[in-house]
Amino acid sequence: MAERARRRRGSAVGNPVIFAPVVEPAKQIVIDTADALGISQAAALEAILLALPLDRDGVPAFVDRTRFQKNEELPIPAA
């Protein structure tokens, strides 16, 4: 495999770090994108995230919001 494109030395200093466990298919998308473009997985994830079309409130346009609307009320009896 060809050498991967690297960022300038020190360009990551001061950038926030993302750490999140993900399902294997999601990780594979990052790996495949990085391999196809010849870039690091970090650069691939950054490219994927920056390419997402966002609604006015910052939520990706394709997200089914109803999937995340849950009743968060705690089952505490009234006094």
Side-chain angles (χ1 to χ4, degrees):
M1 182 183 350
E3 187 85 14
R4 289 191 185 274
R6 297 183 58 109
R7 297 177 188 208
R8 280 185 301 99
R9 185 176 290 289
S11 63
V13 173
N15 289 342
V17 175
I18 295 176
F19 175 79
V22 296
V23 295
E24 185 59 37
K27 174 64 174 178
Q28 195 59 52
I29 290 170
V30 174
I31 293 169
D32 293 345
T33 301
D35 289 347
L37 296 175
I39 58 178
S40 69
Q41 290 181 23
L45 180 58
E46 185 177 281
I48 292 166
L49 292 173
L50 291 174
L52 293 176
L54 302 177
D55 284 342
R56 286 187 309 249
D57 60 357
V59 176
F62 54 84
V63 169
D64 176 9
R65 292 169 184 260
T66 61
R67 181 175 166 212
F68 299 101
Q69 294 172 348
K70 304 251 191 271
N71 184 1
E72 295 293 328
E73 190 174 306
L74 294 175
I76 300 172

